[in-house]
Amino acid sequence: MSWLSPSDWQAVVLSLKVAGWATALSLPPGLFVAYALARWRFPGRSLVNGLVHLPLILPPVVTGYLLLIGFAPNGVIGAALAKIGITVAFSWRGAALAAGIMAFPLMVRAIRLAIEAVDPKLEQAASTLGASRIASFATITLPLILPGILAGSITAFAKAMGEFGATITFVSNIPGQTQTLPLAIYSQLQVPGGEADAARLVVISVTLALGALLVSEWLARRIAARIAGQT
C-alpha cells in the first residue's frame, strides 16, 4: 500500500486497534444489559434504558468532556487507575473507551432485538426440565441470538471506526498515539492543500465501514441458515 504515507498507515492501524478493543470490551456488558432490558422487569429499568441510549443524543463533545473529568490523571477514576500504572486520558486506551461508549447503544439495541425475538417459553421449558438459568441461556438463547450479537458487534466496530467528537475531546489528536482515521482526516483538512490526502483517507474509511457491514450481513445469513438447519 505504497499510496499510503507512514502517518496514514499509522492512523489506519490505530483505528483498527481502537475499534477492535472498543468492540471486544463492550460486548460482555452489552450482552448483559441487552438481556436485562429484554427479559427482566425491575425498578429503574427505564432509567437504565435511558442511560444506555444517552450517548446517541448527547453531543459527542459532552461525552468526551465527561470522560475527561472522570479519567483525567486528577479525576476520580483516572487517579485510581494511575496508581496501578494505567493511563487512559490522552492515550489509545482512552480512544477505545470513548469509541466503545459511543458505539454501546447500537450494540445493545441489536442484541436486545434478537433476544426479544426468542420465545421466552423455550427457556421456561428448559427450566422445567431442571436446567439452570445460565444453562438455559447458554444452550437455547445464545445460539439463537448469535446473528444479532454478530450484527451488533460489527455495527459497533464500524461506529467505533468513525468516532470523532468524544475521541478528540477526551484524548486529543496526537499522531501515532490517538490520531485515528477521522482525526487524521480532520488534520489534513486543516492543512492548505491537504484535500487530496483527506480524500484518500475518506475512501479508506468508507471502504472499511462498508466492508464490515457486508461481512456482517454475510455472516448473519450463514449463522441464521445454520441455526434454521438445526431446528
Side-chain angles (χ1 to χ4, degrees), residues 5-229:
S5 69
S7 61
D8 292 344
W9 181 239
Q10 211 170 36
V12 171
V13 172
L14 183 60
S15 293
L16 292 172
K17 178 180 177 180
V18 165
W21 274 102
T23 305
L25 294 176
S26 298
L27 184 55
L31 183 58
F32 176 79
V33 171
Y35 187 87
L37 292 175
R39 287 284 192 263
W40 299 342
R41 297 293 180 269
F42 54 89
R45 179 172 175 272
S46 297
L47 178 61
V48 173
N49 187 51
L51 289 174
V52 166
H53 290 88
L54 198 57
L56 288 180
I57 56 175
L58 272 180
V61 67
V62 173
T63 302
Y65 180 68
L66 293 175
L67 287 172
L68 191 58
I69 291 175
F71 288 88
N74 58 349
V76 176
I77 304 174
L81 292 175
K83 291 180 180 177
I84 56 175
I86 299 176
T87 302
V88 177
F90 307 109
S91 71
W92 71 267
R93 299 182 189 87
L97 176 63
I101 288 176
M102 295 303 293
F104 193 69
L106 300 177
M107 174 183 285
V108 170
R109 182 173 177 78
I111 298 175
R112 179 182 175 180
L113 289 175
I115 294 173
E116 289 177 342
V118 177
D119 190 347
K121 293 179 180 177
L122 293 175
E123 293 181 9
Q124 294 169 5
S127 298
T128 60
L129 296 175
S132 65
R133 179 172 292 182
I134 294 177
S136 299
F137 175 79
T139 58
I140 295 176
T141 306
L142 187 60
L144 293 175
I145 64 172
L146 274 180
I149 293 175
L150 184 64
S153 299
I154 296 185
T155 303
F157 180 86
K159 171 64 176 174
M161 284 280 297
E163 165 50 30
F164 176 82
T167 303
I168 198 170
T169 305
F170 182 35
V171 298
S172 191
N173 184 7
I174 308 171
Q177 297 185 43
T178 64
Q179 190 178 77
T180 56
L181 270 173
L183 303 186
I185 293 170
Y186 172 78
S187 296
Q188 292 294 346
L189 291 176
Q190 306 306 306
V191 178
E195 291 84 359
D197 292 333
R200 190 171 59 235
L201 294 175
V202 168
V203 171
I204 294 171
S205 296
V206 173
T207 302
L208 289 173
L210 188 59
L213 292 176
L214 291 175
V215 169
S216 169
E217 290 290 330
W218 178 73
L219 287 175
R221 284 198 300 271
R222 295 266 307 200
I223 293 174
R226 176 171 296 183
I227 292 173

